[in-house]
């Protein structure tokens, strides 16, 4: 019997899919690793809020300890029960609940319920949520035990299902889903929506989903009972959010004396300095730039209007420093590197983290466009050979935590005897000899260097100037990372 119970428990774990889109898997599991009675604000709702609020920056800039409990197409039923779960785990600290209102307009499909609730631990909240969602006792039991719900997956299980046991949850994002894409890069200017800016009461009201309204009312009652401040918001989505949608939610907010902040209209759209072309991935979801703006606005609001405290000097929240460091490494530094416009700025940002190993190779030519001020900076940080690079030279350089670990240059002038003679005669041409000469030329001048990071990560670097290989390669443990384009190719590896 003990063996049977053990196998049943293991099957529940391995059969349940890992919903990784919109951070669903990390969000729910990471939530339970948070110290109890530390979270002051929870954000709930669909992927719009998942992409819209980054709690780690909220803590960094305002000291507010919050968590984003949004999931993909999160039903209002799930939003309600996640708030109950948050209050159960953080009874002494929770002050504010922020709900994105996108999903009040409809009830999503079954997969959205499963993605939202599968990660919730067995508790009174989950049992009641499953009971509300199910039509009968058999369904309740099925939803509570994943092996019964997902038993048909037995022939499609693969290695990823078994690697879950060693999976380390990404704690530093605290439920936020990072994306740096933008509308302006993916759509034509004619497709970009323009806000109406001002609301129009005469536009009427949209029909809202009855089941969603039922759980919204339960959420309102629960927050009143527990003395939690409930704030309704709508993240910017001016292409898919109508005036009638706004009017319908505003009517409910007025009826129950709730704050409703709609970032699709004045004054909030300008206070946030929102621009769909640069701040959205698509018509619905904010990118990192938009999330940073919305998070900043919410930080000021939560501290001034909702009683959230600045906990940055509170020893109880010392654990947040580790999460913040990981966040800076995984997101902020990535954005700084992405936004760098030249080699100097890129290297300055890459050198901020001592855990970064910087791998440089040259393809074609890196000298002709390199400015004197850039050469001076390269010389300053120890890349003396790169600072002196000449037309079509090959080059490999490595910087680790100790400084410049390796640097080598291969001069075109040093191989002049191997260059093909400028003889335009067409007499006595031999294809085999031509191929042999080219092969010898490449082998003689293409730079190659083998490097090992922390005695476990194998790196093979290759560089060839235009005449001698014309390539850049950075192979790390068998995978190619160099973009292999003309100039200095840089790969940053964080240990």
């Amino acid at each position: 019997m003990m063996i049977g119970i053990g196998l049943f428990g293991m099957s529940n774990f391995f059969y349940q899919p890992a919903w990784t889109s919109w951070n669903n898997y990390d969000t729910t599991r990471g939530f339970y690793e948070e110290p109890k009675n530390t979270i002051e604000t929870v954000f709930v709702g669909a992927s719009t809020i998942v992409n819209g609020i980054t709690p780690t920056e909220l803590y960094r800039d305002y000291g507010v300890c919050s968590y984003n409990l949004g999931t993909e197409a999160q039903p209002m039923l799930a939003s309600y029960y996640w708030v109950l779960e948050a209050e159960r785990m953080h009874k002494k600290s929770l002050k504010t609940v922020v709900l994105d209102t996108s999903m009040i307009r409809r009830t999503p499909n079954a997969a959205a319920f499963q993605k939202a609730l599968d990660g919730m631990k067995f508790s009174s909240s989950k049992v009641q949520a499953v009971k509300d969602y199910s039509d009968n006792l058999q369904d309740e039991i099925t939803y509570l035990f994943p092996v019964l719900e997902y038993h048909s997956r037995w022939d499609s299980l693969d290695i990823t299902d078994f690697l879950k046991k060693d999976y380390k949850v990404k704690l530093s994002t605290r439920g936020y889903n990072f994306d740096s894409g933008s509308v302006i890069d993916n759509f034509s200017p004619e497709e970009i929506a323009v806000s109406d800016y001002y609301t129009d009461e005469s536009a009427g009201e949209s029909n809202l989903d009855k089941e969603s309204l039922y759980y919204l009312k339960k959420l309102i009652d629960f927050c009143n009972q527990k003395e939690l401040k409930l704030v309704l918001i709508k993240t910017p989505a001016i292409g898919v959010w109508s005036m009638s949608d706004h009017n319908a939610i505003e009517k409910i907010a007025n009826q129950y004396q709730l704050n409703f902040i709609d970032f699709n209209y004045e004054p909030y759209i300008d206070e946030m300095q929102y621009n769909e072309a640069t701040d959205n991935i698509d018509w619905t979801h904010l990118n990192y730039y938009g999330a940073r703006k919305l998070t900043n606005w919410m930080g000021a609001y939560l501290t001034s209007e909702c009683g959230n405290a600045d906990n940055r000097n509170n020893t109880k929240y010392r654990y947040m420093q580790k999460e913040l460091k990981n966040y800076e490494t995984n997101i902020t530094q990535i954005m700084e590197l992405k936004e760098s416009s030249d080699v100097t700025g890129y290297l300055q940002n890459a050198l901020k983290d001592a855990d970064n190993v910087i791998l440089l190779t040259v393809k074609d030519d890196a000298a002709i466009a390199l400015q004197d001020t850039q050469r001076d900076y390269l010389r300053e940080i120890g890349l003396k050979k790169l600072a002196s690079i000449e037309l079509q030279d090959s080059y490999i350089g490595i910087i680790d935590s100790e400084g410049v670990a390796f640097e080598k240059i291969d001069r075109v002038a040093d191989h002049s005897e191997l260059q093909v003679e400028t003889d335009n005669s067409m007499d006595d041409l031999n294809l085999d000899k031509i191929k042999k000469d080219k092969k010898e030329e490449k082998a003689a001048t293409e730079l190659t260097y083998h490097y090992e990071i922390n005695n476990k990560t194998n790196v093979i670097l290759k560089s060839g100037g235009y005449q001698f290989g014309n390539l850049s390669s950075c192979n790390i443990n068998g995978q190619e990372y160099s973009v292999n384009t003309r100039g200095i190719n840089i790969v940053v590896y964080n240990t």
Side-chain angles (χ1 to χ4, degrees):
M1 188 179 291
M2 293 289 288
I3 293 170
I5 292 171
L7 289 172
F8 184 76
M10 288 172 58
S11 298
N12 277 304
F13 177 76
F14 290 121
Y15 270 68
Q16 181 176 314
W19 308 103
T20 54
S21 59
W22 304 107
N23 275 12
N24 288 26
Y25 195 78
D26 284 315
T27 296
T28 54
R29 281 150 187 81
F31 170 74
Y32 289 107
E33 295 195 25
E34 290 295 304
K36 285 189 175 182
N37 296 312
T38 54
I39 294 174
E40 291 183 305
T41 293
V42 290
F43 298 89
V44 288
S47 55
T48 48
I49 199 74
V50 179
N51 264 55
I53 294 290
T54 169
T56 312
E57 292 200 17
L58 202 55
Y59 176 81
R60 183 192 67 193
D61 299 335
Y62 292 92
V64 174
C65 186
S66 63
Y67 203 91
N68 194 329
L69 279 169
T71 53
E72 184 181 357
Q74 187 176 86
M76 268 304 306
L77 178 154
S79 297
Y80 168 68
Y81 281 108
W82 270 115
V83 172
L84 266 62
E85 190 72 347
E87 196 275 338
R88 183 178 73 86
M89 302 290 292
H90 301 274
K91 194 180 296 289
K92 296 179 181 179
S93 59
L94 192 64
K95 295 184 176 72
T96 317
V97 175
V98 180
L99 168 70
D100 180 76
T101 57
S102 301
M103 295 306 296
I104 300 176
R105 297 176 294 175
R106 62 187 176 89
T107 300
N109 59 26
F113 283 90
Q114 292 166 319
K115 290 175 183 179
L117 297 174
D118 276 359
M120 186 180 287
K121 283 191 174 182
F122 194 89
S123 65
S124 58
S125 301
K126 181 163 185 174
V127 171
Q128 190 59 50
V130 169
K131 185 176 180 180
D132 284 5
Y133 173 61
S134 306
D135 294 326
N136 51 59
L137 181 60
Q138 182 179 341
D139 286 347
E140 289 179 37
I141 296 171
T142 298
Y143 290 134
L144 284 172
F145 299 104
V147 67
L148 302 178
E149 172 67 7
Y150 301 112
H151 63 274
S152 60
R153 294 188 69 228
W154 70 269
D155 60 347
S156 62
L157 295 176
D158 59 28
I159 188 64
T160 58
D161 291 294
F162 296 95
L163 289 175
K164 285 190 297 185
K165 65 182 179 65
D166 297 321
Y167 180 79
K168 291 185 178 180
V169 176
K170 298 181 182 72
L171 298 174
S172 65
T173 52
R174 302 178 69 80
Y176 167 62
N177 182 63
F178 169 78
D179 199 307
S180 62
S182 65
V183 165
I184 200 166
D185 291 334
N186 299 318
F187 301 92
S188 67
E190 293 76 21
E191 294 177 282
I192 298 173
V194 178
S195 175
D196 291 323
Y197 276 86
Y198 297 100
T199 57
D200 179 8
E201 293 182 5
S202 65
E205 300 168 11
S206 297
N207 292 322
L208 302 177
D209 179 71
K210 294 295 184 184
E211 183 177 315
S212 297
L213 287 172
Y214 173 80
Y215 286 102
L216 174 60
K217 177 63 167 63
K218 285 178 72 70
L219 179 60
I220 293 170
D221 292 342
F222 179 79
C223 289
N224 287 336
Q225 177 192 344
K226 299 295 182 180
E227 297 182 344
L228 303 174
K229 185 175 181 64
L230 175 62
V231 180
L232 307 182
I233 72 168
K234 179 63 198 82
T235 55
I238 57 181
V240 295
W241 180 256
S242 69
M243 197 77 68
S244 56
D245 293 333
H246 169 91
N247 292 340
I249 302 298
E250 188 172 57
K251 181 179 179 180
I252 294 170
N254 292 337
Q255 181 181 351
Y256 292 96
Q257 297 181 319
L258 300 172
N259 287 358
F260 174 44
I261 305 166
D262 191 340
F263 291 96
N264 294 280
Y265 302 105
E266 285 280 22
Y268 310 111
I269 194 169
D270 275 352
E271 287 179 3
M272 182 183 149
Q273 298 183 331
Y274 168 72
N275 182 338
E276 182 179 75
T278 57
D279 295 334
N280 270 51
I281 306 163
D282 50 30
W283 313 129
T284 307
H285 305 98
L286 291 172
N287 60 22
Y288 171 72
Y289 301 104
R292 191 166 58 182
K293 292 178 180 179
L294 181 58
T295 300
N296 183 60
W297 194 99
M298 288 303 303
Y301 178 81
L302 290 170
T303 51
S304 64
E305 303 294 329
C306 302
N308 281 219
D310 184 343
N311 296 299
R312 284 172 288 190
N313 295 321
N314 189 333
T315 55
K316 182 180 179 181
Y317 293 89
R318 193 172 292 160
Y319 71 96
M320 286 293 297
Q321 294 307 311
K322 183 178 180 181
E323 292 188 19
L324 182 57
K325 183 180 185 299
N326 290 336
Y327 180 90
E328 296 282 359
T329 298
N330 295 322
I331 292 182
T332 308
Q333 287 191 25
I334 289 173
M335 294 308 297
E336 287 177 347
L337 289 175
K338 180 175 179 175
E339 293 164 358
S340 300
S341 59
D342 64 15
V343 65
T344 302
Y346 194 90
L347 289 173
Q348 284 174 336
N349 286 321
L351 287 168
K352 288 180 181 178
D353 191 341
D355 292 329
N356 284 343
V357 177
I358 305 169
L359 308 162
L360 304 98
T361 52
V362 163
K363 175 183 177 177
D364 189 346
D365 171 68
I368 197 167
L370 204 59
Q371 301 168 10
D372 289 341
T373 53
Q374 293 169 328
R375 289 179 185 270
D376 291 342
Y377 174 75
L378 295 173
R379 199 172 289 110
E380 180 184 323
I381 63 173
L383 296 175
K384 296 178 181 179
K385 292 185 177 180
L386 182 56
S388 65
I389 197 167
E390 296 178 2
L391 188 68
Q392 298 180 358
D393 285 352
S394 303
Y395 172 86
I396 292 175
I398 301 171
I399 304 176
D400 60 19
S401 59
E402 303 297 322
V404 177
F406 178 81
E407 199 180 19
K408 187 172 183 179
I409 203 164
D410 206 356
R411 283 265 129 82
V412 171
D414 295 339
H415 300 281
S416 57
E417 71 279 2
L418 291 174
Q419 295 182 51
V420 179
E421 298 178 5
T422 53
D423 179 3
N424 293 326
S425 172
M426 297 180 68
D427 298 331
D428 301 322
L429 290 177
N430 184 289
L431 184 58
D432 291 335
K433 186 176 183 307
I434 293 171
K435 288 181 177 181
K436 183 173 180 292
D437 289 343
K438 283 187 175 182
K439 186 175 181 180
E440 289 177 353
E441 178 183 301
K442 180 178 179 181
T445 59
E446 178 185 293
L447 277 181
T448 300
Y449 185 71
H450 292 254
Y451 181 68
E452 201 169 66
I453 302 173
N454 293 341
N455 298 318
K456 62 180 181 181
T457 304
N458 296 310
V459 182
I460 303 173
L461 299 172
K462 293 183 180 181
S463 171
Y466 178 73
Q467 296 186 52
F468 308 109
N470 194 24
L471 69 86
S472 163
S473 175
C474 178
N475 189 294
I476 302 176
N477 285 343
Q479 183 171 344
E480 182 59 59
Y481 286 94
S482 174
V483 291
N484 193 29
T485 59
R486 186 182 196 223
I488 303 172
N489 290 250
I490 308 176
V491 173
V492 178
Y493 180 93
N494 188 278
T495 57

